[in-house]
Amino acid sequence: MAAVSGWWDDFFWGSLVVVELFFVALIMTVLFGLIGAGAKLSNSRVAKSIASGYTIVFRGTPEILVLLLFYFGSAIILTAIAQIFDPEIKFVDFPPFWAGSFAIALIIGSYATETFRGAFLGVDPGQIEAARALGLSNLQTFIYVRIPAMWRLALPPFGNHMLSLVKDTALVAIIGLEETLFVAEQAIAYTAKPFTMYIVVGAIYLGFSTIITLTVMGLERYANRHLEVWR
Amino acid sequence: MSKADRQLMIELENVDKFFGSFQALKGVNLTVGKGEKVVVCGPSGSGKSTLIRCINRLEQHNNGKIVVNGHELTGAVKDIDAVRREVGMVFQSFNLFPHLTVIDNLMLAPKLVRKTPKAENRKKAMRLLERVKIPEQADKWPSQLSGGQQQRVAIARALCMNPEIILFDEPTSALDPEMISEVLDVMIDLAREGMTMICVSHEMGFARSVADNVVFMDEGEIVESGPPGTFFDNPKNDRTKLFLKQILSH
Amino acid sequence: MSFDFELILDSIPKMLVGIGLTFELLFLSLALGTALGIFLLILRISGRWYLAAPTMVYIYIFRGTPILVQIFIIYYGLPQLEFVRDSIFWPILKEPFGCAIVALSLNTGAYLSEIFRGGVLGVDRGLTEAAAALGISVRQRFIYITSPIAIRLCLPAYSNDVVSLMKSTALASTITLLDMMGIARTIVAETYAPYEVFISVMVIYLVITWAIQRTFAWIEKRMSRHVRREA
């Protein structure tokens, strides 16, 4: 364990990168999931097919492939665009943080699409009818009746998506993001203790998973507090 | 049959059963002799199901003594296995194995427990299906049968193990009304052939015509018991009277 | 930026060479993972805390850390430990293929044991009680009653896990293995044509996913002959 001393602060900064990546990807995931679910639930055949294509492609393709495709692919696009302005430019690097978070969000977003769609369909139609009968507008019904019911149904499976999300952040190291695996590699170059260093990375991720699991459990309790029986 | 000749098949002595802090059975005493038919009735939550489930150890009693066909139920696996071989049970929700055909449902236990050879097993199973009057359903799936048919298969399945005692846990409560009599008829035939039976049921007509002893339970205790004549016509306890009024008024 | 179809046609046969390794990784890890999953399940439901508790810790660790980190720990990390180098498993563990199989099997075993547990919990308690009442022993109940029903119940989740495992095999390319992903990355490194190559290999992966899902749909249909269709 002495080998790790001196590296703790590097690992700490690496972990912060993971946290940043997680939250950025999370926001995009929710966005993609909602858009995808909206498309699937809409009446437009075009929207439905695009959304279906989206979920099929991103649930059936290895995550590492999606990452590499986006990273290299976006670098090419960016380079092409830059070459319009300055033909001397050979290669523009797309920041791995954004390529990574975008790619992960697309992947988890495809699972979230299904989850949100299921949650939306699971809302008791009787409640919607009651809201209408009380005179609430469409928008008010959506905000005050649909959404509260939906996020409660979506929470347990979405909790699992969040766990997948945090674990997928490790893959972004493959495209060069300087997070925990990168720190581990440097530490290994100096200390020649790969087992120790990778175990530290594992422990960091286990910590994140635990935090997410506990948070989701707390949220579930909050969500269902109206169902608790008071003795 | 005088008291002395009565061969005791089931003896419950001062039996208590707790589920956590809730007491489901309070000091229950009951004896059942060979060939006797006992009907247990009472409001929901009175402990009737718990009582019979303790007899074949699906529930474990906490205090008191239970002896079934000479085996005392103490937790020794040998005795539990022996009791379950000799005591059959029919459930309210039939519990037929959905992934096995009707005839396979009947043949499973003899095959696994008694190692009965296949041909003999099948012959016996078919005979029992004829006895409950549905031999033509042998190769169907349980999901293809009506409730009444499924329950008759369940009875045949219990009979395949040659039990000396059969326990019935509200066998007709989950059936549509028009199917109740086909099941009761099978049970009446069994009774006439001399099977020892304990039946938890609300079917008072059945109790009146078949039972040797009717037992009324409430809140975990046996409140009153007696032969059907006395029980129905001259109940002694007020709670019994109240129950009979509620259940017989429609 | 043009789309080089010739490159695609050229690359596909090369990538299909990798398909053999992809399938080897998939089937071997699936077989070992399934066996491990069953073993862990039995420990978990044994009722003995000294068997169930370590199992739960194992599952928690393997589901809470990224599979990439697990692969790195086994491939890069274990050689650090002397007792591993001296053990009889060393010939397996010094090869990338062996490490990939070990990592994938240990990981999928953890997920599968939870899936199997879900199936077992889904078996109607009345059925096992009826079997008990007939005198059928605990072991026989598990084999003849619980297992057939539980297997049918877990098929959808099992099928999803097979797809996940298939996607995880692509990570073997990070430890030098030349499965489809590994070959694809090599071609991209040589030709600088990420779109064509990665999209082609993506199509192949999608076909495999589709094949897996169709296979399990067929299996599920066959196993559900006895289930009553709700009118």
Side-chain angles (χ1 to χ4, degrees):
Chain A
M1 275 322 276
V4 191
S5 68
W7 292 100
W8 287 121
D9 49 337
D10 294 276
F11 274 120
F12 177 75
W13 294 116
S15 309
L16 277 186
V17 175
V18 174
V19 173
E20 281 177 274
L21 190 58
F22 174 79
F23 281 112
V24 169
L26 183 63
I27 295 172
M28 287 197 268
T29 300
V30 173
L31 201 61
F32 293 149
L34 288 174
I35 296 176
K40 281 208 168 183
L41 292 164
S42 77
N43 290 319
S44 154
R45 254 205 306 189
V46 172
K48 276 197 207 164
S49 347
I50 297 180
S52 283
Y54 166 65
T55 51
I56 290 175
V57 166
F58 285 94
R59 294 197 308 174
T61 305
E63 295 83 357
I64 188 176
L65 177 53
V66 175
L67 261 174
L68 288 170
L69 183 57
F70 268 87
Y71 179 61
F72 287 118
S74 43
I76 284 187
I77 293 184
L78 215 57
T79 310
I81 293 176
Q83 281 175 339
I84 296 176
F85 295 104
D86 184 355
E88 295 294 303
I89 293 183
K90 285 281 188 312
F91 190 73
V92 177
D93 204 3
F94 197 92
F97 180 89
W98 294 104
S101 47
F102 190 74
I104 293 180
L106 278 175
I107 295 170
I108 308 288
S110 65
Y111 289 96
T113 297
E114 285 304 304
T115 297
F116 291 157
R117 180 174 158 270
F120 195 82
L121 291 174
V123 176
D124 182 3
Q127 291 199 24
I128 310 294
E129 285 181 358
R132 289 279 163 68
L134 284 165
L136 268 65
S137 73
N138 271 348
L139 183 61
Q140 288 169 322
T141 311
F142 188 76
I143 297 176
Y144 294 103
V145 181
R146 275 223 156 88
I147 301 242
M150 260 187 69
W151 77 262
R152 285 175 167 82
L153 282 172
L155 187 58
F158 193 75
N160 279 327
H161 299 333
M162 288 204 283
L163 285 174
S164 301
L165 210 162
V166 82
K167 287 184 284 182
D168 283 348
T169 61
L171 296 172
V172 190
I174 307 276
I175 56 174
L177 184 64
E178 293 177 6
E179 45 79 82
T180 50
L181 279 174
F182 179 83
V183 171
E185 266 161 54
Q186 289 191 314
I188 290 169
Y190 267 75
T191 64
K193 295 217 179 296
F195 184 76
T196 316
M197 295 309 167
Y198 284 129
I199 291 280
V200 171
V201 174
I204 293 174
Y205 274 103
L206 196 59
F208 285 141
S209 298
T210 309
I211 293 174
I212 292 177
T213 305
L214 290 175
T215 307
V216 171
M217 271 168 53
L219 279 173
E220 279 181 28
R221 261 212 304 258
Y222 171 79
N224 294 324
R225 69 195 187 289
H226 59 283
L227 295 174
E228 275 166 44
V229 176
W230 297 100
R231 292 186 181 277
Chain B
M1 191 183 339
S2 74
K3 278 254 161 76
D5 294 338
R6 196 166 162 246
Q7 183 194 343
L8 288 182
M9 295 295 273
I10 300 178
E11 287 172 73
L12 277 83
E13 200 180 297
N14 254 318
V15 171
D16 292 327
K17 167 71 187 161
F18 291 89
F19 287 108
S21 56
F22 171 69
Q23 190 167 9
L25 294 177
K26 300 173 186 164
V28 169
N29 289 290
L30 182 67
T31 56
V32 181
K34 190 170 169 73
E36 283 177 20
K37 338 277 173 228
V38 175
V39 171
V40 180
C41 60
S44 348
S46 54
K48 332 189 276 293
S49 282
T50 312
L51 176 64
I52 61 171
R53 286 160 64 90
C54 284
I55 293 175
N56 69 352
R57 202 71 176 178
L58 286 184
E59 303 289 354
Q60 254 177 6
H61 61 284
N62 298 107
N63 297 318
K65 195 165 95 160
I66 301 184
V67 183
V68 179
N69 208 9
H71 307 280
E72 184 176 344
L73 289 177
T74 53
V77 178
K78 195 167 56 74
D79 289 315
I80 298 177
D81 284 344
V83 165
R84 288 179 178 170
R85 279 195 296 271
E86 294 158 20
V87 175
M89 189 160 191
V90 175
F91 298 83
Q92 181 175 348
S93 48
F94 333 136
N95 288 335
L96 293 182
F97 306 129
H99 59 297
L100 299 176
T101 57
V102 162
I103 191 121
D104 286 333
N105 257 276
L106 267 61
M107 286 173 28
L108 183 70
K111 171 174 101 162
L112 295 179
V113 181
R114 296 203 203 277
K115 317 274 191 270
T116 315
K118 195 162 170 188
E120 186 189 321
N121 200 353
R122 200 186 170 88
K123 222 165 52 153
K124 167 118 193 244
M126 282 307 295
R127 240 189 308 131
L128 280 165
L129 280 180
E130 278 159 15
R131 191 165 155 192
V132 298
K133 303 193 182 58
I134 39 174
E136 71 283 356
Q137 309 290 354
D139 294 309
K140 294 251 177 78
W141 303 106
S143 60
Q144 296 174 291
L145 271 57
S146 73
Q149 291 171 322
Q150 287 187 51
Q151 193 63 299
R152 285 187 277 156
V153 171
I155 297 177
R157 179 177 67 174
L159 289 172
C160 272
M161 287 295 285
N162 286 337
E164 309 211 24
I165 305 168
I166 298 195
L167 307 172
F168 290 87
D169 190 356
E170 302 210 33
T172 56
S173 298
L175 294 176
D176 290 335
E178 66 272 13
M179 292 193 258
I180 294 182
S181 56
E182 72 196 54
V183 172
L184 287 180
D185 285 342
V186 170
M187 289 166 66
I188 292 174
D189 280 341
L190 264 181
R192 291 222 182 91
E193 287 161 21
M195 176 67 76
T196 312
M197 293 163 54
I198 305 187
C199 185
V200 173
S201 181
H202 298 301
E203 294 293 324
M204 294 300 135
F206 173 78
R208 228 190 243 273
S209 59
V210 160
D212 295 307
N213 193 8
V214 183
V215 170
F216 172 62
M217 280 186 78
D218 192 14
E219 294 187 2
E221 304 173 296
I222 293 185
V223 173
E224 188 168 339
S225 70
T230 336
F231 184 84
F232 289 110
D233 300 329
N234 266 324
K236 297 188 190 59
N237 194 298
D238 283 336
R239 284 195 274 174
T240 320
K241 292 182 193 164
L242 181 62
F243 176 74
L244 285 175
K245 205 172 83 162
Q246 289 169 333
I247 204 169
L248 293 175
S249 61
H250 65 279
Chain C
M1 187 184 71
S2 63
F3 212 67
D4 193 346
F5 283 107
E6 214 182 283
L7 178 59
I8 295 182
L9 291 172
D10 202 40
S11 316
I12 289 191
K14 290 196 194 132
M15 290 190 287
L16 287 175
V17 170
I19 215 178
L21 189 56
T22 296
F23 278 146
E24 266 185 72
L25 288 166
L26 176 61
F27 289 130
L28 197 49
S29 309
L30 185 60
L32 292 172
T34 302
L36 178 61
I38 295 176
F39 175 67
L40 291 173
L41 169 74
I42 295 184
L43 292 182
R44 183 95 161 68
I45 60 177
S46 67
R48 293 164 220 230
W49 64 269
Y50 52 88
L51 292 177
T55 308
M56 283 165 69
V57 172
Y58 172 89
I59 293 172
Y60 178 67
I61 291 177
F62 273 90
R63 287 182 8 143
T65 52
I67 171 94
L68 184 66
V69 175
Q70 292 165 13
I71 291 176
F72 281 4
I73 290 178
I74 293 178
Y75 181 65
Y76 292 115
L78 288 185
Q80 172 191 332
L81 305 171
E82 210 179 297
F83 74 86
V84 171
R85 297 200 299 273
D86 294 338
S87 80
I88 47 165
F89 296 117
W90 183 233
I92 301 176
L93 291 174
K94 70 170 196 236
E95 294 298 317
F97 181 77
C99 288
I101 295 285
V102 168
L104 290 171
S105 306
L106 291 177
N107 183 276
T108 217
Y111 281 95
L112 285 178
S113 79
E114 281 298 292
I115 289 174
F116 295 156
R117 185 168 150 262
V120 167
L121 289 177
V123 176
D124 188 349
R125 203 169 139 230
L127 298 176
T128 42
E129 281 188 357
L134 286 164
I136 299 176
S137 75
V138 180
R139 205 179 123 263
Q140 289 169 331
R141 295 203 287 268
F142 190 76
I143 298 175
Y144 291 94
I145 308 296
T146 308
S147 300
I149 299 175
I151 289 175
R152 187 181 54 82
L153 289 174
C154 15
L155 275 180
Y158 189 81
S159 145
N160 281 336
D161 194 78
V162 175
V163 171
S164 284
L165 180 58
M166 192 272 300
K167 295 195 287 181
S168 299
T169 61
L171 293 173
S173 62
T174 63
I175 55 172
T176 80
L177 284 171
L178 288 175
D179 66 325
M180 286 201 302
M181 193 65 213
I183 293 181
R185 289 169 80 175
T186 329
I187 299 178
V188 169
E190 288 167 8
T191 63
Y192 294 100
Y195 280 120
E196 289 88 338
V197 179
F198 283 145
I199 291 182
S200 316
V201 78
M202 182 192 275
V203 170
I204 303 179
Y205 275 112
L206 287 174
V207 170
I208 298 178
T209 301
W210 174 84
I212 293 174
Q213 289 171 334
R214 291 291 293 129
T215 307
F216 277 99
W218 178 83
I219 296 178
E220 201 182 336
K221 194 147 173 266
R222 283 218 57 197
M223 287 194 78
S224 301
R225 287 169 302 162
H226 62 266
V227 173
R228 189 218 308 257
R229 267 147 282 275
E230 305 298 311

